[in-house]
């Protein structure tokens, strides 16, 4: 099952006035796993970022649906709620879903969410719309997933040589000490759920 992941990438960005600044930008990637999401962001972002960059976090992000239009690069997150009846108990239950839509402003985002969801049988209420800092959204790519699956099943392991992969190493006081294994909770990539 595909899941949306918010991935934060840190790199040195050159602005239009020529100044350089270290920034962290979020991207949204649809993939089958954290590993595939990370590999995908290295491929996509590596095509246009010059120099080194670092993936600082990966987190599952819950979106019921994403409505994309061609006229804007600004993304808005809309929280939509509706009331449904529980089949077993007969009690009313409030359901909340998050949707993502790109629009020029909040008013247009509201109208686009309303238009996109008008076919639902329930009466919806748009309770919140917020502008997101998302830079780009990468939908699921079955070809990329198939390539990665084939690579992971190969018998021979190849060394990956990339200027974009950062490895942290801290040498101890005694050079003859054995290397310590990094526990999963000490890894650089955060996998917190929202």
């Amino acid at each position: 099952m595909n899941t949306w992941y918010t991935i934060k990438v840190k790199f040195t960005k050159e602005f239009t006035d020529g100044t350089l600044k270290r920034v962290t930008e979020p991207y949204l990637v649809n993939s089958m796993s954290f590993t595939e999401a990370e590999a995908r962001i290295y491929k996509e972002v590596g095509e246009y970022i010059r120099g080194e960059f670092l993936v600082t976090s990966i987190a599952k992000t819950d979106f019921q649906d994403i409505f994309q239009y061609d006229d804007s690069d600004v993304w808005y997150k809309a929280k939509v709620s509706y009331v449904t009846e529980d089949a077993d108990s007969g009690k009313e239950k409030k359901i909340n879903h998050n949707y993502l839509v790109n629009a020029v402003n909040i008013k247009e985002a509201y109208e686009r969410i309303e238009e996109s969801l008008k076919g639902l049988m329930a009466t919806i209420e748009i309770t919140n719309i917020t502008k997101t800092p998302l830079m780009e959204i990468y939908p699921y790519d079955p070809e990329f997933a198939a390539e990665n699956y084939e690579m992971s099943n190969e018998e021979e392991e190849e060394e990956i040589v990339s200027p974009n992969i950062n490895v942290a190493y801290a040498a101890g006081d005694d050079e003859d000490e054995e290397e310590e294994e990094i526990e999963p909770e000490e890894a650089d990539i955060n996998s917190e759920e929202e």
Side-chain angles (χ1 to χ4, degrees):
M1 184 173 148
N2 300 354
T3 305
W4 288 102
Y5 295 92
T6 300
I7 303 177
K8 293 184 179 176
V9 178
K10 189 174 194 173
F11 64 99
T12 303
K13 184 174 187 175
E14 183 175 356
F15 291 89
T16 53
D17 62 356
T19 59
L20 298 173
K21 185 177 179 184
R22 196 84 172 143
V23 296
T24 301
E25 295 181 342
Y27 297 85
L28 194 64
V29 176
N30 189 293
S31 66
M32 300 291 278
S33 67
F34 281 93
T35 306
E36 183 183 320
E38 183 180 18
R40 178 91 186 275
I41 204 67
Y42 274 109
K43 175 188 176 280
E44 299 291 349
V45 174
E47 291 179 2
Y48 69 88
I49 291 179
R50 292 185 182 191
E52 293 184 2
F53 63 90
L54 177 66
V55 172
T56 59
S57 73
I58 300 176
K60 283 186 180 180
T61 309
D62 182 31
F63 287 113
Q64 188 67 21
D65 206 349
I66 295 177
F67 305 112
Q68 187 168 7
Y69 296 84
D70 294 333
D71 61 353
S72 176
D73 292 334
V74 181
W75 290 94
Y76 293 89
K77 176 181 173 182
K79 183 177 180 182
V80 177
S81 63
Y82 61 92
V83 177
T84 185
E85 188 175 305
D86 189 320
D88 296 332
S89 65
K91 293 182 181 179
E92 288 188 346
K93 183 178 172 182
K94 187 175 183 178
I95 307 290
N96 292 312
H97 289 297
N98 293 318
Y99 293 88
L100 199 61
V101 64
N102 61 334
V104 176
N105 53 40
I106 289 180
K107 181 181 180 214
E108 186 177 62
Y110 181 90
E111 291 168 354
R112 287 180 172 179
I113 289 289
E114 208 172 37
E115 177 69 25
S116 298
L117 298 177
K118 73 178 180 181
L120 291 178
M121 300 302 280
T123 303
I124 65 162
E125 178 184 0
I126 301 171
T127 59
N128 188 14
I129 295 180
T130 55
K131 184 178 176 181
T132 70
L134 290 172
M135 300 305 293
E136 188 70 47
I137 293 180
Y138 299 106
Y140 183 69
D141 183 357
E143 290 179 14
F144 181 82
E147 287 172 13
N148 279 338
Y149 180 74
E150 288 172 13
M151 284 178 21
S152 67
N153 286 334
E154 289 179 358
E155 293 179 4
E156 295 181 16
E157 291 184 13
E158 293 183 29
E159 183 179 346
I160 299 173
V161 180
S162 172
N164 298 327
I165 297 176
N166 296 322
V167 178
Y169 172 73
D173 295 334
D174 187 7
E175 292 291 324
D176 296 328
E177 289 182 79
E178 292 183 9
E179 294 181 13
E180 291 183 24
E181 284 190 31
I182 297 174
E183 296 296 320
E185 62 268 10
E186 295 179 89
D188 287 337
I189 298 174
N190 302 322
S191 60
E192 53 193 60
E193 292 192 22
E194 290 184 8

